[in-house]
């Protein structure tokens, strides 16, 4: 009885279906999301609206969005316990985004690292959506009044600006939005590229990126070719500064096996990288096998997937609608 009356804390996050999900998304984010679904009221979505800030191939976007939903479920996000939805199915996101754009300053958007980055990469398409992206992300978040937003280090600035926008709005209209906290996973879960171990794992460097749907032989090959370090030591030892390649592999191995760095150092004492790399590959293959198989099983059941995203959108809408209604009222729009 007690328990039912205590409101659970709310957690929310999303990933853009602009590329296939990879090991970094899984170990750094989705795997940890599932663990929290008892303790928190969780919303996880496919941020499809965000993807069109850079050009997408429509059929690929559609495929990836559905595949990402199947992968969320296969990674352990139970759609009964988590609200899983597709962003474009909940119109309140774009509706609130417009309002928030009017409370976001040109100057602050100009300073966003991701905007500077992406606009220098896509010089022929520096569109308004790319610029206003943080206001849409703020809407994604603030609609659900979450306590925590689990994001990677690279998205921290976007959560910061969300807080600033929310505080600015609350400062004028009273307490409309809860001020969310970024929730950065422990350093252990940060995964770097296998061929570029100082940059985070990314789909744009496919040789160093292990996709969740990669075949076992592809994964094995990627790990065999993983960059270790140019030191002559050939010794499995955790030293992030001087041996980033080995540290990253140890991190991955630790995340999929649950072994500590000490245990790993012991296990490979005197064995060198030639033994270590394929072992990490094997461990990852075994960790991803059930996820890939389950994803394929779920993908074959179109009706089930449809029921999940319809139900998710319905639930998300019920929460989002309440916030939007309040915002519309506060700014002075006539109630329909
Ligand atoms: N911008 C995030 C990314 O590129 C994705 C995202 C969109 C998001 N809306 C969000 C993440 C809301 C957390 C909360 O990774």
């Amino acid at each position: 009885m007690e328990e039912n009356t205590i409101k659970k804390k709310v957690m929310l996050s999303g990933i853009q279906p602009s590329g296939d999900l990879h090991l970094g998304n899984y170990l750094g984010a989705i795997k940890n999301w599932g663990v929290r679904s008892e303790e928190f009221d969780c919303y996880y979505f496919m941020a499809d609206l965000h993807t069109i800030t850079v050009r997408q191939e429509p059929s690929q976007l559609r495929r990836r969005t559905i595949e990402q939903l199947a992968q969320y479920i296969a990674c352990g996000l139970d759609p009964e316990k988590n609200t899983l939805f597709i962003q474009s199915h909940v119109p309140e996101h774009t509706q609130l985004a417009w309002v928030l754009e009017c409370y976001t300053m040109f100057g602050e958007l100009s300073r966003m690292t991701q905007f500077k980055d992406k606009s220098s990469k896509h010089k022929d398409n520096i569109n308004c959506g790319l610029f206003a992206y943080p206001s849409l992300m703020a809407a994604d978040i603030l609609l659900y009044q979450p306590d925590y937003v689990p994001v990677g280090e690279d998205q921290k600035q976007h959560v910061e600006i969300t807080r600033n926008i929310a505080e600015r709005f609350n400062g004028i209209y009273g307490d409309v939005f809860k001020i969310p906290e970024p929730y950065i996973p422990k350093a252990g879960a940060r995964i770097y590229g296998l061929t570029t171990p100082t940059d985070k794992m990314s789909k744009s460097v496919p040789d160093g990126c292990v996709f969740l749907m990669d075949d076992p032989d592809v994964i094995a090959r990627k790990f065999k070719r993983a960059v270790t370090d140019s030191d002559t030591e050939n010794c499995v030892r955790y030293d992030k500064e001087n041996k980033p390649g080995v540290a990253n592999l140890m991190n991955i191995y630790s995340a999929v096996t649950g072994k500590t760095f000490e245990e790993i150092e012991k296990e490979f004492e005197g064995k060198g990288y030639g033994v270590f790399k394929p072992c990490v590959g094997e461990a990852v293959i075994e960790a991803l096998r059930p996820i890939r198989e389950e994803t394929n099983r779920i993908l074959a059941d179109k009706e089930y997937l449809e029921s999940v995203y319809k139900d998710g959108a319905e639930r998300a809408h019920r929460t989002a609608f309440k916030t939007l209604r309040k915002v519309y009222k506060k700014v002075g729009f006539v109630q329909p």
Side-chain angles (χ1 to χ4, degrees):
M1 172 92 177
E2 263 296 87
E3 236 166 353
N4 287 337
T5 56
I6 296 172
K7 204 174 164 299
K8 280 187 184 176
K9 291 217 186 251
V10 178
M11 182 105 102
L12 165 138
S13 197
I15 298 179
Q16 293 190 52
S18 52
D20 294 331
L21 290 183
H22 55 70
L23 193 62
N25 300 128
Y26 174 58
L27 296 178
I30 308 167
K31 187 178 176 214
N32 310 314
W33 293 352
V35 179
R36 311 251 163 67
S37 37
E38 300 290 341
E39 186 187 342
F40 292 95
D41 194 3
C42 296
Y43 294 86
Y44 298 117
F45 62 99
M46 332 300 134
D48 58 347
L49 293 172
H50 280 89
T51 67
I52 62 164
T53 53
V54 301
R55 292 280 177 263
Q56 302 292 326
E57 217 284 284
S59 62
Q60 287 295 322
L61 176 59
R62 208 170 290 126
R63 175 191 66 76
R64 282 198 216 101
T65 305
I66 290 294
E67 186 173 285
Q68 190 173 313
L69 173 63
Q71 287 174 320
Y72 277 7
I73 303 168
C75 287
L77 296 178
D78 179 347
E80 305 274 320
K81 294 185 185 144
N82 301 272
T83 302
L84 307 181
F85 66 97
I86 297 171
Q87 185 188 25
S88 64
H89 290 182
V90 184
E92 285 82 1
H93 288 249
T94 43
Q95 292 175 305
L96 182 61
W98 168 252
V99 176
L100 296 184
E101 276 169 42
C102 301
Y103 297 81
T104 310
M105 299 302 136
F106 189 89
E108 54 187 350
L109 290 178
S110 314
R111 287 192 293 274
M112 301 309 284
T113 317
Q114 187 172 302
F115 172 69
K116 288 194 253 177
D117 243 38
K118 288 200 179 173
S119 54
S120 74
K121 273 190 204 138
H122 305 275
K123 283 209 167 57
D124 53 336
N125 185 20
I126 306 178
N127 60 70
C128 297
L130 190 65
F131 188 66
Y133 179 117
S135 301
L136 176 59
M137 180 152 161
D140 297 340
I141 297 172
L142 298 174
L143 279 173
Y144 302 92
Q145 312 276 1
D147 297 273
Y148 300 109
V149 183
V151 285
E153 198 63 47
D154 63 313
Q155 292 297 318
K156 212 172 141 184
Q157 199 184 26
H158 287 155
V159 181
E160 285 306 322
I161 197 177
T162 298
R163 291 165 57 91
N164 294 339
I165 297 168
E167 272 161 7
R168 185 173 299 139
F169 196 94
N170 285 354
I172 306 171
Y173 302 103
D175 280 342
V176 177
F177 298 123
K178 171 163 243 161
I179 309 300
E181 300 276 344
Y183 192 99
I184 310 287
K186 302 217 168 29
R190 190 166 179 165
I191 306 301
Y192 296 88
L194 299 186
T195 51
T196 50
T198 47
D199 298 328
K200 77 170 193 170
M201 185 173 277
S202 154
K203 59 173 194 284
S204 54
V205 190
D207 287 346
C209 181
V210 177
F211 296 100
L212 299 190
M213 300 309 276
D214 273 349
D215 281 330
D217 55 319
V218 174
I219 300 177
R221 196 168 62 234
K222 287 179 178 171
F223 276 97
K224 277 192 195 123
R225 293 196 190 146
V227 169
T228 36
D229 306 289
S230 49
D231 60 20
T232 47
E233 198 181 43
N234 195 22
C235 157
V236 179
R237 186 170 60 77
Y238 192 83
D239 180 351
K240 194 165 186 279
E241 278 288 289
N242 301 306
K243 294 155 71 74
V246 172
N248 185 39
L249 292 173
M250 288 179 74
N251 220 343
I252 293 172
Y253 194 62
S254 166
V256 294
T257 61
K259 292 175 186 170
T260 65
F261 292 153
E262 258 182 20
E263 287 167 338
I264 298 169
E265 286 172 2
K266 220 173 242 142
E267 183 179 346
F268 294 97
E269 214 172 274
K271 287 193 181 134
Y273 306 148
V275 177
F276 180 52
K277 289 199 287 183
C279 278
V280 182
E282 258 330 292
V284 169
I285 289 169
E286 289 320 312
L288 295 187
R289 188 188 304 281
I291 294 174
R292 183 170 36 100
E293 289 174 358
E294 183 66 1
T295 300
N296 283 327
R297 200 189 59 72
I298 297 169
L299 277 175
D301 193 346
K302 297 263 175 308
E303 244 170 77
Y304 169 70
L305 276 171
E306 205 178 297
S307 73
V308 169
Y309 67 65
K310 280 194 172 155
D311 179 57
E314 178 64 43
R315 267 148 59 191
H317 161 74
R318 277 202 293 273
T319 309
F321 176 75
K322 283 188 204 140
T323 305
L324 185 74
R325 192 174 48 190
K326 202 161 165 190
V327 168
Y328 272 14
K329 202 165 165 188
K330 290 285 186 184
V331 299
F333 295 160
V334 174
Q335 298 292 295

